[in-house]
Amino acid sequence: MSVIAESAVGHDELAVLKLLALEGGLEGDVKISCSHLADRLDASNQTASRRLQRLESADLLERDTVSDGQWVAVTDKGERALHAEYEDYRRIFETDSTIELEGTVTSGMGEGKHYISLSGYQRQFEERLGYEPFPGTLNVDLREDSVRRRSAMASLEPVPIDGWETDERTYGPAVCYAATIETADGEVYEGAHTIAPERTHHDDDQLEVIAPDKLREELDLEDGDHLTVSVGDRE
């Protein structure tokens, strides 16, 4: 998706996406005409058509035009956008904003240990998280519904970790969110954080968690064990 297409999507387009979801667009293709949509929006046919085009260009909507209208369906990306809007309203009307993500423990590539141990990050972890993380991350393979729900984390207040550089290379920024882990046996670990590069659209199905302790030993975890990670605003 181009930057131009993404920037063209605003509140007006998201309102159209919400209407289409209410019409059944999350469950599959629904048939709609620009005149019907224009009536719902109290706008012209041209305006309704333009908003649909912008949603399609941004990969939030799929369209198939036929002689008497068009078949539309909200994409997975569109559903994630609606989830993010939903979480914003939850923050307005609910005092406790927590996002629960479920998945299973999996082995990582070992890169987390290297990056977390770097001094440029370590100093910030101690200052902003209040602890020196164990050198390594707990990797969680998220369930499909949690992959979609993960986008709602954008509505939470993160702990920013700044990028930094040495003479040899530049290290990018990251974001952390306060997290609590609960095992399938009901054991709870508080005071952890999720961590991810600040700008990434890849590997949404993988969640990395850091903590002062080695979480695999602290919670007696093995690959395949089920976890619930509750993510909230910064503490």
Side-chain angles (χ1 to χ4, degrees):
M1 179 187 66
S2 70
V3 174
I4 294 176
E6 187 171 12
S7 63
V9 174
H11 294 297
D12 290 338
E13 286 71 31
L14 288 175
V16 173
L17 196 65
K18 182 184 73 172
L19 284 175
L20 296 175
L22 290 170
E23 295 274 354
L26 286 175
E27 285 73 40
D29 291 342
V30 293
K31 196 172 185 181
I32 194 168
S33 67
C34 282
S35 59
H36 170 73
L37 183 59
D39 288 341
R40 295 287 305 273
L41 298 173
D42 192 21
S44 67
N45 286 6
Q46 292 82 359
T47 296
S49 178
R50 189 162 51 247
R51 291 178 186 174
L52 288 173
Q53 291 171 4
R54 289 173 179 170
L55 288 169
E56 183 181 25
S57 297
D59 298 328
L60 301 180
L61 186 72
E62 292 179 346
R63 289 197 305 159
D64 182 19
T65 302
V66 292
S67 59
D68 57 346
Q70 49 199 312
W71 291 92
V72 299
V74 178
T75 64
D76 288 343
K77 185 175 179 180
E79 184 175 353
R80 290 195 295 270
L82 290 173
H83 268 296
E85 289 290 297
Y86 167 69
E87 292 299 335
D88 281 344
Y89 281 108
R90 280 191 61 194
R91 293 190 69 199
I92 294 172
F93 295 110
E94 298 179 17
T95 57
D96 181 23
S97 182
T98 302
I99 299 167
E100 290 191 352
L101 305 174
E102 296 185 56
T104 54
V105 177
T106 185
S107 295
M109 301 293 292
E111 296 179 351
K113 178 178 181 180
H114 169 68
Y115 285 103
I116 288 173
S117 300
L118 294 174
S119 59
Y121 292 131
Q122 280 283 357
R123 288 192 296 270
Q124 296 183 71
F125 292 145
E126 293 178 20
E127 292 173 359
R128 301 177 186 184
L129 304 184
Y131 61 84
E132 179 181 329
F134 170 82
T137 61
L138 177 69
N139 294 272
V140 182
D141 189 6
L142 295 177
R143 293 185 352 183
E144 184 177 350
D145 56 341
S146 289
V147 173
R148 294 193 297 268
R149 188 160 175 74
R150 179 178 185 166
S151 64
M153 289 170 59
S155 68
L156 301 175
E157 183 180 1
V159 180
I161 303 297
D162 299 329
W164 54 286
E165 60 184 44
T166 65
D167 293 336
E168 291 78 26
R169 62 165 294 181
T170 298
Y171 296 91
V175 288
C176 295
Y177 293 92
T180 298
I181 302 169
E182 183 175 357
T183 68
D185 296 330
E187 189 171 356
V188 175
Y189 185 99
E190 299 179 344
H193 289 81
T194 66
I195 185 169
E198 186 177 70
R199 297 181 181 89
T200 181
H201 299 289
H202 303 290
D203 299 328
D204 284 344
D205 59 340
Q206 295 290 318
L207 189 71
E208 291 188 271
V209 184
I210 59 176
D213 305 296
K214 185 175 183 180
L215 292 170
R216 278 182 176 263
E217 292 183 358
E218 192 73 16
L219 296 172
D220 192 24
L221 297 171
E222 297 180 355
D223 283 2
D225 286 349
H226 180 270
L227 290 177
T228 299
V229 182
S230 300
V231 185
D233 284 319
R234 63 187 299 175
E235 297 177 342

